[in-house]
Amino acid sequence: MSAKAIREYDGKHLLSYWLPKLAEPTSLIPSQKPATNGDSPTIAPSFRSDAKIANLQFDMALLNLAEGESWETAYNGRYLPHVDDVFNQAESANPWLLTTKLVCKPDQLIKRRGKNGLLGINLDWPGVKKWISERAGRPFKLERTTGNLHTFIVEPLVPHTQDTEYYIAIQSTREGDLIYFTHEGGVDVGDVDAKAKKLLIAVNAPYDKSQVAPALLTEIAESKHSALVDFITRLYAVYVDLHFTYLEINPLVVLGGENGERAEVFYLDLAAKLDQVAEFEAGKKWSIARLHAYPSTGSTPSWGPAMDFPAPFGRELTKEEAYIAELDSKTGASLKLTVLNPHGRIWTMVAGGGASVVYTDAIAAIGLAHEIANYGEYSGAPSESQTFEYAKTILDLMTRGAPHPEGKFLFIGGGIANFTNVSSTFKGVVRALRAYRQALLNHHVKIYVRRAGPNYQEGLRLIRSTGESLGLDIKVYGPEMFVTGIIPLAINGDTSGIQTQAASIDGVAPGPIAPEPPVIDKKLESLLAFTTKTRSFVYGMQPRAIQGMLDFDFMCKRSAPSVACMIYPFGGHHVQKFYWGTSETLLPVYTSIEEATKRFPDVDVVINFASMRSVYDSTLELMEFPQIKTIALIAEGVPERRARQILHLAHKKNVLIIGPATVGGIKPGCFKIGNTGGMMDNIVSSKLYRPGSVAYVSKSGGMSNELNNIISRATDGVYEGIAIGGDRYPGSTFIDHMLRYEKDPGVKMMMLLGEVGGVEEYLIADAVKQGQIKKPVVAWCIGTCAKMFTTDVQFGHAGSFANSDVETAEAKNRTLREAGIRVPDTFEQLPQVLSEVYNELVLCKSIVPFREPQPPKIPIDYSWAQELGMIRKPANFISTITDDRGQELIYAGMAISEVFKEDIGVGGVLSLLWFKRRLPWYATKFIEMVLMLTADHGPAVSGAHNTIVTARAGKDLVSSLVSGLLTIGDRFGGALDGAAAQFSEAYDHGLTPQEFVDNMRRKHQLILGIGHKIKSRTNPDLRVEIIKEFIFKHFPGSDVLKYALEVEKITTSKKDNLILNVDGAIGIAFVDLLRSCGAFSREEAEEYIKIGSLNGLFVLGRSIGFIGHYLDQKRLKQGLYRHPWDDISYLTPEQEAMMTGGGSSSSSSFGGGAGSGVAGSVGRTFVEGKIAIERGVEPTS
């Protein structure tokens, strides 16, 4: 929802803080940038503006009853002491409560509090406490709604007479902001619309302060004009700058002003709504004003707490509703939940804002509104995990308490999705069904599913097979079922919702094959938004949507793609690859609109995918180029003020705006906007590849796809369809498109799908009555269920809320029917009425039936075909340790959330990723010990030295780290693997320690893991001692380590420093761990040693130290390293030859002359391993 009501306490704090700071309205015209969120200097008003107000909130959770506890016990025992505590805190924070007469009232979005006995006037503090105590925590019935009173405000009494009370309100409309003012305010203000003076501040027009008094204050004494003009100007400035959508003060009291004295203005009673989606512009300003109104918490930003939007009176936000609202705030998808009747038998889980409304309408239409348990929707491609959380919440709510004797229903429904992967979301639903299987069975829940859209076949198969395996009562349907057909089917057994194609008419022979899109007269072409020649820019990086458009173009046999290029300001000039049928094609990407328009002067349509934060600026820039005639705004959450500014500027420049908050539109055979129409299989099934005779306009994007399906089955198909968007101020309205359709000879009949909220549908009725629209019109407004709810319910779209009776769906349907428009009795009868009108047009030959052509074929993308399970290919890689394909990363079968929940640590993660299994705690602890012990061994070792030198050469961290790691091998770090191999092999072959030592001596091989430069038997290495102590205490077996210690006794008897060193201890202990922990077979243990797992531990551990050395050098800002020359032995070639016997010391020539070398040989300077470097003399003959 966009416009949301706030508490009076918050509204008055906004005024109190910002009225002195805003003397003139800002952000009124497009040329102005939105005001910053920072503070503004105080500009002293000509009236009193500060406000004293105390807020008293009582915790209703204290009245939750324990089993067997009575309400009176909870109220007297817990709640009343709590009430006294709140009173004491209020006294302490607001000492003025004790010294002045007061006014108190509930602050829970309740209207007409004075007339309903909810206003305590002229009370002292004890009187206020008594008045509130009598009401707090107790139920109160207001008209049809019953709720508990728990939040109150207390203010100083302002003594005044009736003639000082005025009324002022500001309300946003499509045309501008309308200021209402009457000289008579208070409880008996009466019909404001009839008696108030009005001043309209048109959208994008400057605010003229001089117009205030002549327009609004003609019945007010001139002595008060100055203060009132200043107040109204400042009030409107706050209204604009803080994105209010409605603000009412009644009464507004003005005292003084006579004889030159200063007038004082008091706003005694206030009701207000803010545009919630404007939080990114005004949220900081809201918070600043609330900073001193609420106690700070650790999570509160420094500039103040975020604005709170309370639930309507009588419907407190439940824990579950709050949880879903929190999920919704953290995702780009839409997740909404309102619990209407927790004891109801009918629960819904519907995808799409429009679909959620028609489902609720359908339930109410068969007389079961009282059984509707919830209203909500999920849409915008939520992830599997988000859908799981949403479904789990609903299943938990509906399976609480004792089972109902008649059972319950769960309708999992929705329209035909445009881009949401149905299978992916249904995987989340399936997870929830599995988790609540027994509860669903206990409560005898019957589940009916109807869904369509991308990959719906797999999604329905998944749901169906799950129901069978779990034994749940699940019925599953696809697009062959009318969108809400499962409801009468489930309740009454009515099967009429199963749709068929339009029946042929007796006596009417089918005509030719479906025609090509009609050739449009040049004079008419300028009036039409889309033709076969229409080309577009796509603003934003949207490859999936563009590919869908190109596939549609190819299917419709267009001569050229409908997308000329992309505009993406955040990247350089480049090209993107797409498919045109089976061939590849390239589309350019430009960084500016100016470049794109110069390159493609024929393009007149832009599909703007910019976000809600940037769509305003980008659209204003687009409208600076006269060639742009149509702009589709896809973004949801555009602030209402910005949307109005866009639409009025567009009207001035003669630019057609579709949206915001729209999926777009489609003209079969010609052009489609973005993701409209969904996947190609739906394009084919709804016959959108060729024109029909019916043009429609809808608010809902999801329902527009459903209309494509309905119209294709009831008539010869869609000629054009537009979703204008679900916001309160769409850029173009129903009448704009219906008048276009009226002028288009290809349109034979029209369809309107309106909804609750707004008054645009009445313009269609007027146009029909006045003869502006002569073609047949079928219409229906969704949201007829709204009148059946006892509390206000915000439906799926921001504009779906009736502010008066005239905005209800019921009133609109009645007016449309009275104007001569064909309106069905229920939404479910829509296909029948469409078919009737179509058949009438066929009989009178306005429509000539045609034979359906062979549906065109479009190649399917490899990735999508793979997801649908239509192809297979051998994988290039095999991975058995992790899986990142789902909604949660998996480590060897363990979800990442479980990794943290069970706190398995780094050792546990390593055991999963290296060994594919959970190891015992002592094993993971030992792994962590190894990493700590091998982390570093000082800067002098080869690896650390290389890292330091590379870092000082100015290289980056990765390069420096790699230079150090590349030194690890047989001579550095290799002792771990070597020691493990030598000792385990000797032990396994049954060699005694002495035999092992003797055998190694005979082979002239060193025993790896034995020996230390510094440490000895009398000066032991404490690292080794730590390892031995841990192993002997915790390992189930330590045979190889004990064997190694026996070897140590022999080697140290020869030389004191031939001890078991830390590398040997680690390697040998690791062998014992693998063999004794029970997680590995003997073969697996040996394999892990052979493939380098021990070396991996050393690499991982030593990387910690190498990174430390790199950071240390960078922190110390050490320069380029040059090795000192005095640490290098420089040898000339003759010195080298003499030292190795390769030449005579008396020879005057180097390497020359017979007999100067060793006879019969070649002089060798040195031999290292198997590598010989040859130098010196020629061999003698």
Side-chain angles (χ1 to χ4, degrees):
M1 181 182 180
S2 184
K4 279 198 170 183
I6 60 173
R7 298 191 190 279
E8 182 176 359
Y9 180 71
D10 290 325
K12 287 184 173 178
H13 273 286
L14 293 181
L15 296 191
S16 178
Y17 184 85
W18 287 107
L19 280 174
K21 294 176 170 57
L22 297 174
E24 295 286 345
T26 59
S27 305
L28 286 177
I29 56 177
S31 60
Q32 293 178 319
K33 292 290 184 183
T36 64
N37 276 342
D39 207 343
S40 302
T42 298
I43 306 168
S46 62
F47 56 87
R48 179 179 181 274
S49 65
D50 59 314
K52 291 181 178 179
I53 183 169
N55 179 42
L56 284 69
Q57 294 189 1
F58 303 101
D59 186 2
M60 292 299 297
L62 295 173
L63 289 176
N64 293 339
L65 303 181
E67 187 175 353
E69 184 180 28
S70 68
W71 187 88
E72 289 76 13
T73 300
Y75 184 82
N76 295 320
R78 291 193 301 270
Y79 194 73
L80 284 183
H82 164 66
V83 171
D84 290 336
D85 289 341
V86 172
F87 286 147
N88 293 335
Q89 293 169 16
E91 291 176 15
S92 177
N94 305 281
W96 50 266
L97 291 171
L98 304 173
T99 60
T100 185
K101 289 292 186 179
L102 304 167
V103 176
C104 58
K105 52 193 169 183
D107 189 11
Q108 294 176 230
L109 312 185
I110 299 174
K111 301 174 183 177
R112 297 178 291 276
R113 287 171 293 189
K115 287 193 172 183
N116 286 288
L118 294 177
L119 191 61
I121 302 178
N122 199 21
L123 303 173
D124 56 14
W125 179 235
V128 167
K129 292 197 290 185
K130 181 176 183 295
W131 190 92
I132 292 177
S133 296
E134 291 171 350
R135 293 164 175 79
R138 298 183 180 277
F140 180 82
K141 186 171 184 180
L142 182 66
E143 298 175 351
R144 295 190 304 160
T145 304
T146 300
N148 291 305
L149 300 175
H150 53 72
T151 301
F152 298 81
I153 55 174
V154 184
E155 300 173 279
L157 176 70
V158 178
H160 63 277
T161 57
Q162 179 71 33
D163 61 355
T164 62
E165 291 187 346
Y166 307 107
Y167 173 95
I168 187 170
I170 309 176
Q171 183 175 8
S172 295
T173 68
R174 188 176 180 85
E175 292 72 31
D177 298 323
L178 198 57
I179 303 176
Y180 298 81
F181 188 90
T182 72
H183 67 287
E184 296 175 342
V187 175
D188 299 316
V189 66
D191 186 352
V192 172
D193 194 56
K195 65 192 293 188
K197 306 285 185 182
K198 301 179 184 68
L199 174 62
L200 177 68
I201 313 299
V203 175
N204 295 339
Y207 174 84
D208 187 355
K209 189 174 183 177
S210 65
Q211 295 297 312
V212 174
L216 302 177
L217 307 181
T218 55
E219 300 182 51
I220 307 298
E222 288 191 15
S223 60
K224 297 184 179 181
H225 280 200
S226 176
L228 277 172
V229 168
D230 188 26
F231 175 79
I232 293 171
T233 299
R234 290 173 181 272
L235 186 69
Y236 185 63
V238 173
Y239 185 91
V240 170
D241 214 49
L242 271 64
H243 285 267
F244 280 86
T245 62
Y246 179 77
L247 177 60
E248 179 188 63
I249 299 173
N250 180 36
L252 176 73
V253 172
V254 182
L255 300 180
E258 292 83 8
N259 303 320
E261 65 177 327
R262 184 187 183 204
E264 290 186 309
V265 178
F266 301 88
Y267 30 93
L268 299 191
D269 199 275
L270 178 146
K273 293 182 179 181
L274 293 173
D275 188 352
Q276 185 187 22
V277 300
E279 186 170 9
F280 69 92
E281 280 195 34
K284 189 172 181 180
K285 293 182 180 181
W286 302 340
S287 297
I288 289 171
R290 302 174 83 235
L291 180 60
H292 303 295
Y294 293 91
S296 178
T297 66
S299 60
T300 299
S302 59
W303 53 81
M307 180 58 69
D308 175 50
F309 297 95
F313 174 71
R315 190 176 56 76
E316 301 304 324
L317 201 64
T318 67
K319 180 179 68 175
E320 292 76 19
E321 289 171 330
Y323 176 63
I324 296 301
E326 183 182 6
L327 284 181
D328 181 62
S329 68
K330 296 176 180 178
T331 175
S334 177
L335 301 169
K336 303 290 188 293
L337 175 64
T338 300
V339 179
L340 300 171
N341 175 14
H343 305 294
R345 293 178 55 222
I346 301 177
W347 293 76
T348 63
M349 182 178 169
V350 183
S356 64
V357 179
V358 297
Y359 267 74
T360 310
D361 283 349
I363 298 168
I366 57 178
L368 293 178
H370 62 287
E371 292 285 11
I372 299 175
N374 71 304
Y375 172 79
E377 57 113 354
Y378 69 103
S379 59
S383 66
E384 177 186 330
S385 63
Q386 290 164 348
T387 312
F388 167 67
E389 293 298 326
Y390 186 81
K392 182 181 70 173
T393 302
I394 291 176
L395 297 184
D396 177 59
L397 285 167
M398 74 178 300
T399 55
R400 292 179 182 177
H404 195 284
E406 298 180 64
K408 294 182 178 180
F409 292 97
L410 172 62
F411 294 108
I412 302 175
I416 301 173
N418 287 292
F419 53 87
T420 297
N421 187 327
V422 175
S423 175
S424 177
T425 56
F426 272 13
K427 287 177 183 177
V429 176
V430 164
R431 286 173 56 194
L433 292 175
R434 292 186 185 280
Y436 283 85
R437 171 186 176 272
Q438 193 57 53
L440 292 168
L441 291 172
N442 293 343
H443 285 261
H444 310 293
V445 176
K446 295 181 179 180
I447 303 173
Y448 284 76
V449 179
R450 192 275 185 184
R451 194 72 165 106
N455 209 4
Y456 80 92
Q457 299 93 336
E458 175 61 19
L460 298 184
R461 185 202 63 78
L462 185 64
I463 286 278
R464 188 180 291 111
S465 62
T466 299
E468 292 171 356
S469 64
L470 298 180
L472 298 174
D473 188 354
I474 298 182
K475 304 291 190 302
V476 181
Y477 301 90
E480 76 284 353
M481 172 66 74
F482 186 71
V483 58
T484 57
I486 57 175
I487 292 171
L489 175 65
I491 305 299
N492 299 325
D494 183 354
T495 61
S496 61
I498 300 176
Q499 304 175 98
T500 58
Q501 294 302 126
S504 61
I505 304 171
D506 293 338
V508 179
I513 292 178
E516 298 292 326
V519 177
I520 304 299
D521 183 86
K522 288 290 184 183
K523 294 180 180 178
L524 184 62
E525 188 170 352
S526 61
L527 301 174
L528 304 181
F530 312 113
T531 70
T532 54
K533 299 177 182 178
T534 297
R535 301 197 76 203
S536 65
F537 298 138
V538 172
Y539 192 99
M541 190 60 66
Q542 292 288 327
R544 179 177 174 182
I546 292 173
Q547 186 60 65
M549 293 176 68
L550 298 188
D551 287 343
F552 177 80
D553 298 340
F554 185 81
M555 179 183 289
C556 296
K557 302 178 182 178
R558 280 184 55 126
S559 59
S562 61
V563 181
C565 72
M566 283 182 281
I567 302 171
Y568 188 61
F570 306 103
H573 293 207
H574 62 286
V575 293
Q576 285 271 320
K577 185 170 67 175
F578 293 94
Y579 286 101
W580 179 253
T582 57
S583 304
E584 291 185 335
T585 187
L586 299 176
L587 286 183
V589 181
Y590 296 104
T591 58
S592 72
I593 302 168
E594 183 177 7
E595 290 175 292
T597 53
K598 285 181 179 178
R599 177 64 181 82
F600 299 100
D602 61 319
V603 170
D604 61 357
V605 174
V606 179
I607 305 168
N608 191 346
F609 281 96
S611 71
M612 62 181 181
R613 291 174 172 80
S614 59
V615 68
Y616 173 73
D617 290 330
S618 60
T619 303
L620 262 57
E621 184 182 358
L622 285 166
M623 287 192 285
E624 293 175 4
F625 297 88
Q627 76 182 64
I628 304 302
K629 297 301 181 184
T630 302
I631 305 175
L633 307 180
I634 309 302
E636 295 190 37
V638 179
E640 289 185 356
R641 183 163 297 279
R642 303 298 171 218
R644 290 189 302 159
Q645 290 171 339
I646 288 172
L647 72 91
H648 278 264
L649 184 61
H651 181 74
K652 181 179 179 181
K653 292 178 175 285
N654 197 28
V655 175
L656 174 65
I657 300 290
I658 300 174
T662 181
V663 71
I666 191 166
K667 190 167 186 179
C670 293
F671 185 82
K672 94 179 185 92
I673 297 173
N675 294 305
T676 309
M679 301 294 290
M680 288 303 110
D681 57 348
N682 185 64
I683 296 285
V684 172
S685 66
S686 296
K687 302 179 178 58
L688 298 175
Y689 49 83
R690 51 76 174 164
S693 302
V694 184
Y696 71 82
V697 60
S698 163
K699 276 198 171 186
S700 169
M703 288 303 295
S704 69
N705 223 5
E706 198 61 53
L707 289 178
N708 294 331
N709 181 44
I710 294 171
I711 291 171
S712 71
R713 293 174 182 273
T715 71
D716 64 358
V718 174
Y719 180 85
E720 182 178 335
I722 296 292
I724 63 173
D727 284 356
R728 195 159 184 83
Y729 302 115
S732 55
T733 62
F734 295 134
I735 191 66
D736 296 325
H737 296 283
M738 296 290 270
L739 291 177
R740 280 201 305 112
Y741 298 157
E742 178 67 25
K743 296 174 183 176
D744 192 329
V747 177
K748 305 303 180 184
M749 58 182 287
M750 293 181 269
M751 164 73 208
L752 166 68
L753 186 68
E755 62 183 39
V756 60
V759 294
E760 300 301 327
E761 292 86 349
Y762 290 102
L763 298 179
I764 307 299
D766 292 341
V768 170
K769 287 190 289 187
Q770 294 167 12
Q772 291 178 286
I773 295 177
K774 298 182 177 66
K775 294 177 181 177
V777 180
V778 176
W780 178 256
C781 295
I782 65 176
T784 54
C785 60
K787 65 182 184 298
M788 302 180 185
F789 299 130
T790 58
T791 62
D792 293 335
V793 175
Q794 170 63 45
F795 294 111
H797 298 141
S800 300
F801 187 86
N803 290 308
S804 63
D805 289 340
V806 76
E807 294 190 22
T808 63
E810 192 176 41
K812 293 180 185 182
N813 285 329
R814 182 171 57 251
T815 301
L816 291 168
R817 188 179 291 112
E818 291 169 353
I821 294 171
R822 300 285 285 271
V823 180
D825 292 330
T826 65
F827 179 68
E828 287 68 34
Q829 294 177 5
L830 182 61
Q832 177 185 340
V833 175
L834 281 169
S835 181
E836 291 171 357
V837 175
Y838 171 76
N839 291 338
E840 291 169 5
L841 293 173
V842 170
L843 289 172
C844 70
K845 301 191 184 307
S846 294
I847 295 176
V848 178
F850 51 80
R851 285 180 289 123
E852 191 64 43
Q854 184 69 25
K857 294 182 179 179
I858 190 75
I860 188 170
D861 285 347
Y862 175 83
S863 58
W864 187 246
Q866 191 174 40
E867 186 166 348
L868 294 177
M870 298 173 63
I871 57 174
R872 62 187 180 191
K873 72 179 272 292
N876 293 316
F877 290 95
I878 299 175
S879 176
T880 63
I881 61 171
T882 58
D883 190 343
D884 60 342
R885 295 170 298 174
Q887 298 304 316
E888 191 172 5
L889 181 63
I890 303 294
Y891 286 170
M894 188 174 189
I896 191 66
S897 58
E898 294 299 316
V899 167
F900 286 93
K901 188 181 296 183
E902 298 191 25
D903 194 21
I904 66 174
V906 173
V909 170
L910 190 145
S911 73
L912 292 173
L913 297 181
W914 287 21
F915 307 114
K916 300 198 302 182
R917 67 205 73 191
R918 287 284 300 275
L919 296 181
W921 74 267
Y922 57 82
T924 60
K925 177 63 177 176
F926 176 71
I927 289 171
E928 293 174 357
M929 288 173 60
V930 171
L931 297 180
M932 291 187 284
L933 291 169
T934 60
D936 194 51
H937 202 197
V941 298
S942 59
H945 179 83
N946 268 22
T947 300
I948 291 170
V949 171
T950 309
R952 291 179 60 171
K955 300 293 284 184
D956 60 279
L957 185 147
V958 174
S959 300
S960 303
L961 174 62
V962 168
S963 73
L965 292 177
L966 289 175
T967 64
I968 297 176
D970 290 342
R971 296 190 173 191
F972 174 53
L976 276 75
D977 275 335
Q982 287 182 355
F983 279 91
S984 60
E985 183 179 356
Y987 177 79
D988 292 341
H989 282 79
L991 298 178
T992 66
Q994 186 64 57
E995 289 174 332
F996 172 55
V997 173
D998 293 342
N999 194 28
M1000 295 300 288
R1001 185 185 300 114
R1002 283 193 296 271
K1003 292 179 181 180
H1004 303 290
Q1005 291 183 351
L1006 296 175
I1007 302 176
L1008 297 178
I1010 292 290
H1012 199 283
K1013 188 174 182 179
I1014 301 171
K1015 298 297 180 179
S1016 63
R1017 183 171 52 182
T1018 56
N1019 180 25
D1021 188 338
L1022 292 181
R1023 296 177 297 174
V1024 176
E1025 299 302 313
I1026 291 171
I1027 292 172
K1028 291 193 298 184
E1029 181 183 357
F1030 183 84
I1031 291 169
F1032 290 142
K1033 185 175 182 179
H1034 300 294
F1035 279 22
S1038 53
D1039 295 341
V1040 182
L1041 178 59
K1042 292 174 181 176
Y1043 180 81
L1045 293 177
E1046 293 300 316
V1047 172
E1048 181 188 48
K1049 293 178 181 178
I1050 297 171
T1051 56
T1052 52
S1053 66
K1054 303 291 184 180
K1055 195 173 182 181
D1056 200 40
N1057 68 335
L1058 294 179
I1059 61 172
L1060 180 65
N1061 59 37
V1062 68
D1063 290 350
I1066 291 173
I1068 293 163
F1070 202 73
V1071 173
D1072 279 331
L1073 174 63
L1074 296 180
R1075 292 183 175 185
S1076 67
C1077 70
F1080 305 92
S1081 67
R1082 184 63 172 266
E1083 292 75 17
E1084 287 177 320
E1086 291 179 0
E1087 183 181 21
Y1088 275 114
I1089 297 296
K1090 289 178 182 178
I1091 63 178
S1093 58
L1094 269 171
N1095 198 32
L1097 283 175
F1098 183 81
V1099 169
L1100 181 59
R1102 193 51 57 95
S1103 293
I1104 300 171
F1106 289 171
I1107 292 172
H1109 286 297
Y1110 168 85
L1111 297 174
D1112 187 47
Q1113 296 302 307
K1114 293 295 185 181
R1115 184 171 54 247
L1116 295 172
K1117 296 179 174 58
Q1118 294 295 287
L1120 179 66
Y1121 175 80
R1122 180 180 175 85
H1123 200 74
W1125 63 266
D1126 59 356
D1127 193 35
I1128 302 172
S1129 293
Y1130 292 92
L1131 296 179
T1132 63
E1134 62 270 25
Q1135 290 173 319
E1136 180 185 10
M1138 291 177 61
M1139 290 176 64
T1140 59
S1144 172
S1145 62
S1146 62
S1147 176
S1148 60
S1149 62
F1150 302 108
S1156 62
V1158 179
S1161 67
V1162 177
R1164 292 182 177 177
T1165 58
F1166 62 89
V1167 175
E1168 181 167 289
K1170 296 179 180 179
I1171 302 172
I1173 300 178
E1174 298 179 348
R1175 289 189 184 276
V1177 301
E1178 294 291 332
T1180 58
S1181 58

